[in-house]
Amino acid sequence: MPTPKAYSVKAYSAASATAPLAGTTISRREPTETDVQIRIQYCGVCHSDLHYARDEWHFTQFPAVPGHEIIGQVTAVGSAVTKFKVGDIAGVGCLVDSCRTCPDCQAGLEQFCTSMVMTYGSSDKHLGGPTHGGYSQSITVAEDFVLKIPANLDPAAAAPRLCAGITTFSPLHHWKVGKGQKVGVVGLGGLGHMGVKFAHALGAHVVLFTTSAGKADDAKRLGADEVVLSKDEAQMAKHANSFDFILDTVAATHDLNAYLNLLKRDGNLTLVGAPEKPLPVAAFPLIFRRRSLNGSLIGGLPETQEMLDFCGKHNITADIEMIKMEEINTAYERMLKSDVKYRFVIDMASL
Ligand code: NAP
Ligand code: ZN
Ligand code: ZN
């Protein structure tokens, strides 16, 4: 593939796992005929951004520019682009390309394609080096990986749908969560608060597990029917053997066995949280009552569109706290203290 022309944009990057994020300049490609160029207006702050910037998953390519909840305005389109025109509001989530031909891509499950290109942290096949995320002024993405965002939405509050939204919607959808089911969501952060909203909208009886007593009222406002303080063993014991499904969004080390014990026979615990260190699992909570433990990774493009439509129908959007780009390091520290209500979104005009 010939190297396309590049242009420079301002961005925020981490130079190493221990360096705070700081201003820099990166290259973006001029749109090829199938590309959409977007001026980034808002970018959500996912805990994955922090894991990546601090190399907690051990694949970070520095300098690291995180950000995969991107909303902006289309500034140019390639000659073969049909879905977008200049001026449209567009979204980009965690994926910017895939092979498009493997069985996963054919099934619309691009997130499982072994050649998928993540918005940040993959190899950039156009310009070389790592792909760079949304903590930047502009991005150029293949049309097929750009999502249409209805113009009537608050674009800042729509940004977190592109990772937190699809990551929680996809497993609830896949496991057919709905009316008559008791569903748990563990952790009320960016993912968790979207998970509570979706599970409630799907008609489930929703129980939120939190380590933060102060979040109980918010959890109920967001759609939880019950709130359990997970550190309180007596509260946890009351729910033993009673859940159809539990979605675990926790970003740090915690006890999975405590949640497995809350599942009914054949119940299912799905991990979306991706802590740095392995989580020990005991055999007995799984083999007694034939319970399952599994995971889920974001969602493919068709399901992301379905999630956006579901959000439109049920009026689901994120609860956000807007920050300036220069506040990102403080925001990361607050995220580590579970002090986010419930998603930071960067106003990219501040870059
Ligand atoms: P977040 O906003 O920081 O929320 C995580 C929540 O987990 C916290 O608000 C807190 O909720 C709870 N928590 C934190 N530390 C805890 C601990 N030590 N023990 C128990 N609970 C704790 O993070 P996020 O952006 O939602 O992301 C959550 C995780 O999902 C991250 O690991 C991220 O990388 C991962 N992720 C995975 C995917 C995927 O495709 N699978 C996609 C996006 C993100 P309470 O205060 O309510 O306890
Ligand atoms: Zn994310
Ligand atoms: Zn593929």
Side-chain angles (χ1 to χ4, degrees):
M1 174 182 320
T3 307
K5 280 195 196 144
Y7 61 100
S8 291
V9 296
K10 285 203 260 179
Y12 246 58
S13 75
S16 76
T18 51
L21 275 75
T24 187
T25 303
I26 58 167
S27 293
R28 295 294 194 193
R29 67 179 184 274
E30 291 288 355
T32 66
E33 59 180 16
T34 51
D35 281 337
V36 175
Q37 183 194 52
I38 299 163
R39 179 176 59 80
I40 302 175
Q41 295 169 306
Y42 300 102
C43 185
V45 179
C46 180
H47 207 114
S48 300
D49 299 354
L50 187 161
H51 290 305
Y52 179 71
R54 299 189 177 179
D55 198 19
E56 293 177 359
W57 294 330
H58 313 295
F59 67 72
T60 304
Q61 302 181 59
F62 293 102
V65 179
H68 57 203
E69 292 181 341
I70 298 168
I71 297 272
Q73 197 163 32
V74 175
T75 43
V77 295
S79 57
V81 167
T82 57
K83 282 191 318 193
F84 294 92
K85 59 180 190 321
V86 171
D88 285 350
I89 301 298
V92 178
C94 304
L95 297 175
V96 289
D97 211 345
S98 70
C99 85
R100 297 148 194 254
T101 55
C102 73
D104 295 316
C105 288
Q106 295 285 308
L109 297 169
E110 297 87 354
Q111 75 273 33
F112 301 124
C113 172
T114 52
S115 304
M116 61 138 168
V117 182
M118 295 181 295
T119 306
Y120 58 82
S122 287
S123 293
D124 186 332
K125 62 187 178 196
H126 298 271
L127 298 177
T131 52
H132 289 309
Y135 297 3
S136 57
Q137 286 176 312
S138 135
I139 190 166
T140 304
V141 179
E143 172 183 26
D144 293 345
F145 287 77
V146 182
L147 292 140
K148 280 210 169 270
I149 303 294
N152 60 342
L153 283 176
D154 171 1
R161 293 176 179 180
L162 294 159
C163 175
I166 182 60
T167 301
T168 51
F169 181 82
S170 180
L172 294 171
H173 193 211
H174 178 75
W175 293 99
K176 300 186 172 55
V177 160
K179 281 196 178 60
Q181 292 187 7
K182 185 171 170 185
V183 169
V185 175
V186 189
L188 196 67
L191 266 56
H193 96 290
M194 294 301 287
V196 167
K197 290 184 185 206
F198 285 135
H200 173 74
L202 289 164
H205 179 88
V206 184
V207 181
L208 185 270
F209 295 93
T210 183
T211 57
S212 309
K215 292 182 183 174
D217 288 346
D218 278 349
K220 292 202 169 150
R221 174 178 59 78
L222 297 168
D225 298 286
E226 297 179 62
V227 178
V228 172
L229 261 184
S230 53
K231 293 172 186 160
D232 181 334
E233 281 181 26
Q235 282 190 41
M236 292 287 278
K238 275 192 204 154
H239 291 271
N241 306 319
S242 67
F243 281 87
D244 297 282
F245 180 88
I246 300 178
L247 183 68
D248 185 331
T249 76
V250 175
T253 300
H254 62 294
D255 181 16
L256 291 185
N257 303 297
Y259 294 100
L260 289 169
N261 280 324
L262 304 188
L263 295 170
K264 282 181 182 166
R265 169 172 53 76
D266 293 323
N268 179 53
L269 173 62
T270 296
L271 297 186
V272 285
E276 178 181 6
K277 299 204 171 71
L279 303 170
V281 176
F284 276 25
L286 286 172
I287 61 181
F288 278 83
R289 307 185 79 76
R290 201 166 52 194
R291 296 163 174 133
S292 297
L293 169 65
N294 54 60
S296 188
L297 178 68
I298 48 174
L301 272 296
E303 196 173 34
T304 304
Q305 189 57 58
E306 216 176 309
M307 178 273 309
L308 292 172
D309 296 344
F310 185 87
C311 287
K313 191 168 157 213
H314 295 272
N315 201 17
I316 293 175
T317 190
D319 289 31
I320 64 162
E321 179 179 337
M322 194 91 83
I323 60 167
K324 296 194 183 106
M325 189 70 256
E326 68 199 40
E327 294 173 305
I328 189 68
N329 295 302
T330 317
Y332 279 9
E333 291 313 311
R334 282 183 53 196
M335 191 148 68
L336 285 173
K337 291 185 201 137
S338 304
D339 175 24
V340 190
K341 288 184 173 169
Y342 280 88
R343 194 60 139 184
F344 293 122
V345 171
I346 308 162
D347 178 357
M348 295 311 309
S350 65
L351 176 62

